[in-house]
Structures are given as C-alpha cells and as structure tokens.
C-alpha cells in the first residue's frame, strides 16, 4: 500500500503551509498522518437537492481539518484523529467509492479531504479506472491552494466549496487566519476554471460544476452581504450559490464563547429576519441558480452520527 506521497515530506498542501514532515511522523496544524483516515461513509440525504437527489449522495467523512473553525459543526471528527477512524490507502478508498456506487449513490462526496489530497486524488483516479461512473465531488472549506486543487484535474467533477468569511478580523477570530477571503477567492477562481459552468443531467442532478456554500453566521449580516456581492460580481452564472441558515451552536463553541476564545454571538443562532433579508437580496439579484434553506434546517439532528 502506498502511503508516502512526496508532498507529505514538507507539507504545504493548505495555505497554512506548516512544512511538517508527515511522512516521518511530524504533525502540522491539522494533526493528521499522511494516510487518509475515514470516520464514516454512507448515503447522505442532507445536501442540496442536485447532490442528494432521491437516492442519496455517497458521502465519505475524513477526520481532521486544516482550517479549524472553532464553531465547527463536525467538531467530533475535525479536531484531529478520533482513534475510531479507519486508515485507508488509495486503493481501499477506491473500493469504498465502488461500494457506494453499488448502493446506487448519485455521486461520491468527499468531505474535508484536502489534507490528504495526493492520496485522495489518486483514489478517485483508481476508482474511475475500475468503473466508477458517477461524479466525484470535493466537499471543502474553501481555504485551499491552487496547486493542491490541481492534483484533482480530471478526477474531481464537482466542487462543493464553502465561502465562510469576508472580514479578515472575523476569520482571524474564528480560525486564527486573516487571509481566508484572499485564499478562498484564489481557490474559487481555480475551481471555476477546472469545473466550468454547472452541467445538470436529464434527472436534474449535478454532473459537473461548482456549488459555493455560505453558512450565515449569527450577528454577521454584513459579512454575508459582502460575500454575496463578491460571488455575484466575480463569478455570476459560473457557480451555483447555496445560502445556508443551519448554524447550530455546538457544546465546544458555547464553552469557547464563555472563555472569550470565540466571539460571544457564536453561542446564539442566526436571526431569521437577517436570513430572510439575504434570501430576498439573492433572489432579486436574478442569479439563475441558488439554494436557500427552510427554517427547520438547523439543529444537531442534521449532524451525522460520527464514531468518536
Ligand atoms: S495540510 Fe496539515 S500539515 Fe499540511 S500544511 Fe495544512 S495544516 Fe499543515
């Protein structure tokens, strides 16, 4: 089994560019080994309709994260290895994708895989060579680098990427990085170039393209407004926009707010009027393809049952 891709020997896969020698056991910010660690894979029905469809999206949840939002909704698996995950080389990952395809998944949906990018890109290619015919989607934070995304050229068909913050002060307060907007914009330029305009199948499912997700954050209406303006002006109909209201204050987030390690408003929820105002704004923009959520989309029930 091949684990030692050269990129892990001086890891600069994400914009944090730690330089850790993960092949020799060093850990960078993401605290993850060079071998992909899968916590859970299953058919998932909570994505956008053109991804989940009626049969579900074949979703693979990887452990660890290179961005590390302190309010993370997947905190049970994103903050380093749980000890309950399964280490998978590229050929084993390819086998998981084939299993999900056999379960009739509409697509393969890889959640937070970028700190394992070389192995994951390899796994998609191996699966395609072995008969994977459904689209492969990268479900990522947006804090990504063009050269790491380029590893997926010809492998990834769909990008489900976040655009989380506009203000450098906000990204610094939440993730400890002030260059989120800059990095996410450069990454989105790359993704839009790689995937091209959205293409849908006859069944209405997305075949290729970019969905940009923005999770509205409590108390940050104007950050959302600026992000929508950026997306509409810079990318127009080259992307699908998904405006989300499902922010849920997790137990660790509430604790961090109490310790002044996260702004106090993150212990609350998104104001409904603020969300509705942004939905109206997006609707009136005339953007041809966007998703918005209903009021019942937030809450811990929507967080998958991870092993941890
Ligand atoms: S992927 Fe992990 S080790 Fe590599 S640069 Fe990013 S945080 Fe550091």
């Amino acid at each position: 089994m091949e684990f030692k891709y050269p990129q892990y020997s001086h890891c600069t896969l994400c914009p944090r560019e730690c330089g850790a020698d993960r092949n020799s056991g060093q850990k960078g910010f993401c605290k993850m080994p060079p071998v992909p660690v899968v916590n859970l894979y299953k058919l998932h029905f909570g994505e956008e309709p053109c991804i989940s469809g009626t049969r579900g999206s074949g979703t693979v949840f990887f452990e660890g994260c290179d961005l590390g939002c302190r309010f993370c909704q997947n905190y049970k698996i994103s903050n380093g290895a749980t000890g309950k995950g399964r280490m998978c080389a590229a050929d084993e990952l390819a086998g998981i994708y084939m299993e999900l395809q056999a379960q009739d998944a509409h697509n393969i949906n890889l959640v937070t895989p970028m700190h394992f990018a070389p192995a994951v890109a390899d796994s998609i290619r191996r699966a395609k060579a072995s008969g994977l015919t459904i689209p492969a989607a990268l479900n990522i934070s947006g804090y990504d680098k063009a050269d790491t995304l380029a590893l997926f050229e010809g492998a990834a068909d769909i990008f489900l990427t976040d655009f989380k913050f506009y203000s450098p002060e906000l990204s610094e307060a939440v993730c400890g990085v002030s260059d989120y907007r800059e990095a996410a914009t450069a990454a989105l330029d790359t993704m839009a170039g790689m995937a091209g305009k959205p293409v849908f199948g006859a069944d209405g499912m997305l075949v290729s393209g970019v969905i940009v997700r923005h999770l509205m954050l409590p108390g940050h209406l104007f950050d959302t407004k600026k992000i929508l303006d950026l997306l509409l002006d810079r990318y127009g109909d080259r992307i699908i926009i998904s405006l989300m209201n499902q922010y849920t204050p997790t137990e660790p987030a509430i604790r961090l707010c109490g310790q002044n390690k996260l702004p106090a408003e993150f212990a609350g929820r998104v104001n409904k009027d603020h969300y509705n105002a942004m939905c109206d704004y997006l609707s009136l923009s005339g953007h041809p393809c966007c998703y918005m959520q209903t009021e019942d989309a937030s809450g811990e029930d929507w967080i998958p049952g991870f092993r941890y």
Side-chain angles (χ1 to χ4, degrees), residues 11-14 16-20 22 28-31 66 115:
C11 186
T12 56
L13 287 172
C14 81
R16 290 191 182 268
E17 299 191 333
C18 304
R22 295 167 64 189
F29 173 86
C30 63
K31 300 184 276 207
D66 51 36
H115 45 297

Side-chain angles (χ1 to χ4, degrees), residues 88-140:
C88 297
D91 54 350
E92 216 175 334
L93 281 175
I96 290 175
Y97 311 157
M98 298 306 285
E99 198 181 320
L100 289 164
Q101 178 171 262
Q103 289 175 26
D104 223 7
H106 287 289
N107 42 55
I108 300 301
N109 178 354
L110 306 173
V111 182
T112 325
M114 297 306 273
H115 45 297
F116 303 122
V120 173
D122 191 5
S123 70
I124 300 173
R125 288 202 176 85
R126 287 181 192 219
K128 287 192 169 180
S130 312
L132 185 79
T133 53
I134 53 178
L138 296 186
N139 189 330
I140 57 184

Side-chain angles (χ1 to χ4, degrees), residues 75-76 248-257 300 308:
Y75 69 93
K76 290 175 180 171
T248 302
T250 61
E251 213 179 284
I254 293 169
R255 198 169 49 244
L256 290 170
C257 289
E300 299 240 6
Y308 80 116

